[in-house]
């Protein structure tokens, strides 16, 4: 369904960035550039959920922004079936639903107006909005909030509206960047149930998270990004088996320790 191969991405550091990073030891920074991604590969099939893990600053968000076509990689490929995301970003946008770390909603518009505005950008017709879209609203628990201004909604409700906006055009791939961060238990539960529903409907879902219980609950595959490259990418079962007691936290630390040992040896 979606295949990510050997992504690299480098950013040129300005003078301020160089000073900010001068006290940090980061092997990805060389000669005024920062190598955010050096080799990231993974894949997710239809009806699968991939949990994307990694320390803060590892490159997860950069990788996800490339998937959404918001960033162009220096090299590598992203394909959704036959569509090359890098070469055909407009076509790719029709196949991808993307939720970034910030909601990006228009505060003075209502929840419904936000969702329908983005729906029409994707060519969604009025008949669909009047019928099938209601199912999305019910599944996310936002029916009673649709005609309120977004600026008056809670953080959790804004997040659910953002997810509705991301899936309103029935994308083949749903990409979520830390969708439950900062949310209460009830909002988190609704979002996790919605991800499970997307999976059951055949959507390929990629979500980054720091919560290993979410990975245990939902993921079929796991990818760990560290120091800008894929340190692990395989099934959830294979990830569990990295630790003797199949504990995901120990498996995660095992991957990072192996990666650090490799970096230190070169």
């Amino acid at each position: 369904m979606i295949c990510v191969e050997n992504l690299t991405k480098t950013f040129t550091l300005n003078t301020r960035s160089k000073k900010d990073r001068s006290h940090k030891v980061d092997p990805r920074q060389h000669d005024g550039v920062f190598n955010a991604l050096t080799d990231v590969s993974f894949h997710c099939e239809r009806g699968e959920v991939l949990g994307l893990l990694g320390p803060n600053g590892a490159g997860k968000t950069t990788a996800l922004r490339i998937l959404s076509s918001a960033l162009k990689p220096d090299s590598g490929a992203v394909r959704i079936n036959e569509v090359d995301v890098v070469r055909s970003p407009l076509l790719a946008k029709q196949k991808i639903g993307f939720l970034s770390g910030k909601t990006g909603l228009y505060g003075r518009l209502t929840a419904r107006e936000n969702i329908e505005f983005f729906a029409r950008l994707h060519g969604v017709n009025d008949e669909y909005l009047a019928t099938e879209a209601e199912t999305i609203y019910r599944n996310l628990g936002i029916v009673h909030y649709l005609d309120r201004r977004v600026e008056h909604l809670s953080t959790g409700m804004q997040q659910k509206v953002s997810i509705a906006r991301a899936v309103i055009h029935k994308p083949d791939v749903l990409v979520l960047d830390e969708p439950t961060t900062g949310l209460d238990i009830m909002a988190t539960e609704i979002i996790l149930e919605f991800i499970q529903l997307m999976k059951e409907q055949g959507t390929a879902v990629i979500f980054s998270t720091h919560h290993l219980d979410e990975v245990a609950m939902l993921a079929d595959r796991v990818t760990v990004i560290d120091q800008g490259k894929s340190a692990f990418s395989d099934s959830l079962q294979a990830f569990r088996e990295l630790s003797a007691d199949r504990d995901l936290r120990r498996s995660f630390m095992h991957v990072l320790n192996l990666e650090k040992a490799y970096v230190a040896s070169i």
Side-chain angles (χ1 to χ4, degrees):
M1 171 58 71
I2 182 167
C3 184
V4 177
E5 298 177 337
N6 309 117
L7 291 184
T8 70
K9 182 64 181 177
T10 298
F11 295 100
T12 300
L13 297 174
N14 57 34
T15 302
R16 181 176 179 179
S17 296
K18 291 177 184 177
K19 289 180 179 179
D20 289 344
R21 294 179 179 272
S22 61
H23 66 288
K24 300 179 181 178
V25 178
D26 194 324
R28 292 179 289 171
Q29 180 179 337
H30 297 284
D31 303 321
V33 299
F34 181 70
N35 299 298
L37 302 179
T38 55
D39 184 11
V40 168
S41 300
F42 53 85
H43 70 275
C44 185
E45 300 299 325
R46 178 179 171 84
E48 282 189 342
V49 174
L50 182 144
L52 190 62
L53 302 174
N56 289 331
K60 302 186 299 298
T61 295
T62 299
L64 295 184
R65 291 184 68 195
I66 290 173
L67 266 61
S68 74
S69 75
L71 279 179
K72 186 175 181 179
D74 297 331
S75 63
V78 179
R79 296 184 182 87
I80 301 175
N81 291 335
E82 74 284 357
V83 177
D84 187 314
V85 173
V86 177
R87 294 182 179 180
S88 305
L90 292 180
L91 182 57
K93 285 181 185 293
Q94 299 173 17
K95 297 180 177 295
I96 296 176
F98 180 63
L99 175 73
S100 66
K102 297 182 179 179
T103 61
L105 298 171
Y106 297 108
R108 294 181 64 82
L109 297 181
T110 67
R112 189 191 304 275
E113 288 169 341
N114 269 279
I115 296 166
E116 292 187 356
F117 172 73
F118 284 95
R120 292 191 170 92
L121 289 179
H122 284 290
V124 175
N125 60 44
D126 290 340
E127 181 181 356
Y128 175 82
L129 287 173
T131 55
E132 295 187 54
E134 293 300 319
T135 301
I136 295 174
Y137 303 153
R138 286 197 302 272
N139 289 334
L140 284 167
I142 62 173
V143 171
H144 300 299
Y145 301 87
L146 287 170
D147 297 312
R148 294 189 187 181
R149 281 188 180 182
V150 164
E151 63 188 359
H152 297 146
L153 298 179
S154 67
T155 300
M157 194 58 62
Q158 288 184 17
Q159 189 77 321
K160 289 187 281 186
V161 171
S162 294
I163 292 175
R165 183 196 67 181
V167 302
I168 195 65
H169 60 297
K170 287 189 171 181
D172 294 328
V173 178
L174 178 59
V175 179
L176 306 171
D177 191 3
E178 299 186 13
T180 62
T181 297
L183 304 188
D184 63 27
I185 294 173
M186 293 305 298
T188 295
E189 187 67 17
I190 288 174
I191 289 173
L192 295 181
E193 288 176 357
F194 189 78
I195 293 173
Q196 178 65 33
L197 179 62
M198 291 294 98
K199 171 183 174 177
E200 292 170 0
Q201 293 178 353
T203 306
V205 182
I206 298 172
F207 77 105
S208 67
T209 182
H210 292 293
H211 303 293
L212 292 173
D213 60 320
E214 297 178 359
V215 173
M217 182 186 306
L218 296 171
D220 301 284
R221 302 187 59 81
V222 175
T223 294
V224 179
I225 297 179
D226 188 31
Q227 299 285 340
K229 60 184 177 181
S230 299
F232 176 89
S233 190
D234 206 329
S235 67
L236 176 62
Q237 179 179 346
F239 187 61
R240 286 186 181 280
E241 291 174 353
L242 293 176
S243 66
D245 58 359
R246 297 171 60 84
D247 179 80
L248 294 186
R249 183 184 63 83
R250 290 189 179 89
S251 293
F252 178 68
M253 296 307 299
H254 176 77
V255 170
L256 296 189
N257 287 335
L258 282 183
E259 186 65 14
K260 290 174 182 177
Y262 172 76
V263 170
S265 69
I266 60 176

